[in-house]
Amino acid sequence: AASISIYPNPVRGNSVTVKTNFRPGEQFYFLVYDMAGNQIISREETENSFTFFTCDLNSSGTFILNLVNENQCFTNKLIVLP
């Protein structure tokens, strides 16, 4: 079964690492939403481990991260501390 991990969470820093066990080279979408449902980040990924920067979120608070591949959608909550 596919899985994802996000760390650190909660985060009080500049970056967050996302790891998946998707097939190597498998394309998936990485989406981040604020709690009002506004999409903040949308990008395609093929790496099983990648980093994104909290400055892209423009604020602290709670965010919803979605990773979507051809068969599944994973949803996790990310807390960004001030």
Side-chain angles (χ1 to χ4, degrees):
S3 66
I4 62 170
S5 63
I6 299 167
Y7 58 90
N9 190 11
V11 59
R12 185 192 305 271
N14 294 334
S15 64
V16 176
T17 298
V18 178
K19 287 192 173 189
T20 76
N21 67 349
F22 295 160
R23 291 187 318 270
E26 178 179 357
Q27 182 180 12
F28 60 93
Y29 293 94
F30 172 67
L31 310 164
V32 179
Y33 298 88
D34 64 17
M35 293 308 289
N38 300 308
Q39 185 173 292
I40 299 171
I41 297 174
S42 173
R43 66 187 201 202
E44 293 181 27
E45 290 286 343
T46 56
E47 298 296 322
N48 281 355
S49 178
F50 63 93
T51 299
F52 74 96
F53 297 97
T54 55
C55 61
D56 293 340
L57 302 175
N58 296 322
S59 68
S60 59
T62 302
F63 299 88
I64 302 298
L65 279 61
N66 285 344
L67 277 75
V68 182
N69 66 10
E70 62 185 25
N71 300 318
Q72 302 170 71
C73 177
F74 294 89
T75 301
N76 276 9
K77 190 182 294 186
L78 173 67
I79 298 171
V80 178
L81 301 173

